[in-house]
Amino acid sequence: MDPSCGFSPGNVAALLQLLLVGGVVGLYFPQKEYTETVYVGQPAGTPILQVHAMLDSRSERPHFYLCGGRRPVFTLWFQMDVQTGELSLSKMLDETDFASLYQNSWPAKRLSLQVTALNNFSKRAACISRNSAHITLDFVNASIPQCAQTDMKELCFPHRDTSNPHIIENRFPGVLRQLRRLTRLSVCPNYTISYSVESETPAPFAVNGNTSELVVTAPLDREESENYRLLLACTVQTETVITKVETSLDVFVDDEDDNAPYVNGTDTVDVVISFNRTKGAAFGTLFVFDRDLTTLFPKDLSQNRYVGTLLNSEPWIKDTFDIKGTFSERRAAPGGIRESVYDYQLILKRNLEITENLSVYLDYLVNDTTYPGLEGTVLLHFNVTILPVQIYFTNITHVFTLSRKASVYAQVGRICVENCLEFDGFSVSYQLEVPDKNISAEMLSCYSAISITQAPDRMLGLLYVNNSHALSKPGCQDLEYTVVAQEEHTQLMTSTQIRILLHGEANVSQESQQLLSCAENKQRDECESSQGLGATTGTCEWRQGSEKGISENYSTCSPDLRTCPDSVCDAVESKDTSICPQDCTTESVTGGHERGLSGSGIRAGYGTCYCFSEKCFCEIADAEDVLSKNSK
């Protein structure tokens, strides 16, 4: 068959120009793996298998060589036809040859060869990954099965040949596979064997009836079809019977860079940077599409290489911004052809000060460097506005209520400047101050009752009981403080007033005993009659689980069910692990459970979870406990 089938002279010239500019010119093997079986007593000259190389141009003439460095002696048993690519035996192999492969006795051995294809003659051919194929030969210490003992499928197709051919798109058509099993040519000489090829969809494949070779009859386009499922039929005709054997074959079409990148929608995005000013933060997204793929076969084809260039030359912009591209694949429709998608985002290269306030316009050039045409670039535009951050409280005064029975480390409330939970890239610290520093020492001792600590992200202030003894003093009434919030770099600050309204009677028993962890209690009645660290009412609270198995709603004893357990070891709880080991323990947990996302605490547990000195247990309660709980 004429390998230029389907090309006019103009198309051939255009294709060659495409290959020379954007592709990799040269012969390649559509099938990279070949397998066959060699038996004792097969005569010299017996054909073993046929390899094929696909062409880039009509002028190419492949020359086939067994290749490699220091080749073993057994490779001399084989010869490769330089012109046709047919591998055959150079001598008849007997049992002594087989025995020489290994010192021990053997039923079967496996040997490997490599073959390369060059466009010219060579005295010593080296194996190059793109232009080489791997041959695996199974040596069997037995004679080749006779016709009567040969299965029809074994006669028609290699039994272990599972490799699928890959054909690069836009290349010249030609032969890609020998269907007839060459080692069986002389096994059933009176049989007439013929092949045909079928496909569920239109496919440019045919069988050369003279050579039993599968041929691709026209150049392929991956953007039309990525693979073809072929049905190969082998018809075996004897004097009395006609037998048809079928096998499927997937032919994959490999990509090359023959499509320009494009923007499907807009090439401009408006970016506003305000509360998130941290190094590495990403803003805005612009998409660039390409009908070609970046992941190609073979692996050494490095096509569809994208290079991005920030066109702004100002040092401040280069020090502050970067553009990051991320590659993915998508199908335009379910079951459709894959294409490349690149999403580009603006990235901060440094933390921005909260006072920075300006607008800039960034142009980013995306270049498909391996696309051979003139439309291989796309220009993206990022319109960036940086707004300053104001540090302020929305309320002039914050009011919290607190029981005089509250234990040390009991949480009173949270304080936060406006939008503080959205801040990133800078920190705000909180200080608790007494409005009048000239008050008496007795009154100053009352103010020691409350303290403030920073949340781990340093955006939130947590108020907690620092001195429970002060709460019990009759002279200590409602408390007023000033909370000062200050940004770490600019030192900008603001303040607000807080009032702590005390209610109830003091728990004087706290003065004479050391408080334990509420989490030590494994039964409800024990829990609700115990005093513990961090208890907002002085006594512990019971959470009754209602689900079976490992559940986030496990039963447990807590100082404050608002904050413990909530899968967060907050700034107050982290001061003493005994406050809420359900959130904070880093020690081992016995029984069915799930760890918290940060590796500490118990996110979910089985039955009831309780803890002693950080070591925790999760287990189902016994029958008496269950009856006791159900009666509550």
Side-chain angles (χ1 to χ4, degrees), residues 36 39 42 143-159 180-181 183-189 191 193 234 236 238 243 245:
E36 195 40 276
Y39 293 87
Q42 290 178 293
S143 299
I144 190 168
Q146 299 301 307
C147 185
Q149 288 78 43
T150 301
D151 179 82
M152 288 298 178
K153 193 163 188 177
E154 290 281 313
L155 186 65
C156 290
F157 304 108
H159 70 290
R180 184 73 187 270
R181 194 171 184 186
T183 57
R184 301 299 194 270
L185 288 177
S186 60
V187 171
C188 299
Y191 287 8
I193 301 177
C234 173
V236 182
T238 68
T243 304
V245 180

Side-chain angles (χ1 to χ4, degrees), residues 388-406:
V389 177
Q390 305 296 326
I391 303 296
Y392 66 99
F393 288 103
T394 53
N395 295 335
I396 299 176
T397 302
H398 297 74
V399 179
F400 302 95
T401 59
L402 177 64
S403 171
R404 288 182 179 272
K405 296 181 179 180

Side-chain angles (χ1 to χ4, degrees), residues 254-257 293-299 301-304:
D254 291 335
D255 195 28
E256 68 178 3
D257 197 353
L293 297 178
T294 295
T295 305
L296 296 175
F297 175 94
K299 297 300 183 185
L301 287 179
S302 54
Q303 297 184 357
N304 223 31

Side-chain angles (χ1 to χ4, degrees), residues 336-622:
I337 305 302
R338 293 175 298 159
E339 67 176 6
S340 297
V341 182
Y342 298 83
D343 60 280
Y344 293 92
Q345 290 186 295
L346 180 75
I347 307 295
L348 285 182
K349 296 176 67 175
R350 63 178 179 86
N351 289 356
L352 298 179
E353 298 285 353
I354 65 171
T355 54
E356 293 186 67
N357 177 20
L358 75 162
S359 295
V360 293
Y361 302 96
L362 308 182
D363 292 328
Y364 190 73
L365 184 67
V366 177
N367 183 14
D368 182 354
T369 60
T370 54
Y371 178 70
L374 299 178
E375 298 99 12
T377 60
V378 172
L379 187 60
L380 304 179
H381 308 280
F382 292 83
N383 300 333
V384 184
T385 300
I386 301 175
L387 300 177
V389 177
Q390 305 296 326
I391 303 296
Y392 66 99
F393 288 103
T394 53
N395 295 335
I396 299 176
T397 302
H398 297 74
V399 179
F400 302 95
T401 59
L402 177 64
S403 171
R404 288 182 179 272
K405 296 181 179 180
S407 304
V408 64
Y409 296 128
Q411 295 199 33
V412 179
R414 301 182 175 190
I415 199 75
C416 177
V417 297
E418 185 68 7
N419 302 307
C420 79
L421 297 182
E422 299 180 53
F423 292 171
D424 200 356
F426 60 98
S427 297
V428 176
S429 62
Y430 298 89
Q431 299 293 328
L432 200 60
E433 297 182 355
V434 178
D436 185 2
K437 295 183 172 58
N438 296 320
I439 59 176
S440 66
E442 181 69 19
M443 285 302 297
L444 278 176
S445 67
C446 292
Y447 281 99
S448 69
I450 306 299
S451 187
I452 194 169
T453 188
Q454 296 293 134
D457 57 8
R458 294 187 57 80
M459 298 301 175
L460 197 69
L462 301 181
L463 298 166
Y464 68 98
V465 175
N466 177 63
N467 181 359
S468 59
H469 175 64
L471 298 179
S472 65
K473 293 182 177 180
C476 295
Q477 301 299 318
D478 296 346
L479 304 172
E480 293 188 1
Y481 299 86
T482 298
V483 173
V484 177
Q486 186 174 45
E487 196 276 326
E488 61 176 338
H489 292 299
T490 62
Q491 303 299 306
L492 292 177
M493 64 176 61
T494 186
S495 64
T496 187
Q497 304 300 311
I498 66 169
R499 295 184 63 197
I500 310 294
L501 305 181
L502 303 179
H503 65 87
E505 296 182 359
N507 191 352
V508 295
S509 63
Q510 286 193 26
E511 301 178 35
S512 58
Q513 69 178 33
Q514 181 180 0
L515 295 181
L516 302 177
S517 171
C518 289
E520 292 187 5
N521 299 290
K522 60 181 296 188
Q523 296 182 12
R524 183 170 194 162
D525 53 354
E526 295 175 351
C527 172
E528 294 177 341
S529 61
S530 299
Q531 298 176 358
L533 289 174
T536 54
T537 61
T539 56
C540 305
E541 304 176 33
W542 179 260
R543 184 178 78 174
Q544 178 61 49
S546 58
E547 300 180 25
K548 296 181 179 179
I550 296 178
S551 167
E552 294 184 18
N553 188 38
Y554 56 87
S555 297
T556 196
C557 187
S558 164
D560 185 352
L561 290 177
R562 298 173 304 170
T563 60
C564 174
D566 62 359
S567 297
V568 177
C569 186
D570 62 40
V572 175
E573 294 169 348
S574 62
K575 289 181 177 295
D576 189 326
T577 309
S578 298
I579 300 171
C580 183
Q582 299 97 318
D583 285 341
C584 298
T585 183
T586 57
E587 301 296 323
S588 63
V589 180
T590 302
H593 70 284
E594 293 179 9
R595 277 287 194 181
L597 297 179
S598 61
S600 65
I602 306 170
R603 180 174 177 268
Y606 177 66
T608 298
C609 295
Y610 57 97
C611 305
F612 296 100
S613 300
E614 288 199 39
K615 185 172 179 60
C616 297
F617 304 84
C618 293
E619 59 187 30
I620 194 69
D622 57 35

Side-chain angles (χ1 to χ4, degrees), residues 215-228:
V215 180
V216 57
T217 60
L220 303 180
D221 185 353
R222 191 207 64 89
E223 285 72 52
E224 292 183 1
S225 179
E226 288 194 83
N227 68 286
Y228 295 90

Side-chain angles (χ1 to χ4, degrees), residues 19 22-26 56 130 168 171 256 300-303:
L19 296 175
V24 180
V25 177
D56 276 332
R130 180 175 180 267
I168 302 176
R171 302 304 170 95
E256 68 178 3
D300 55 337
L301 287 179
S302 54
Q303 297 184 357

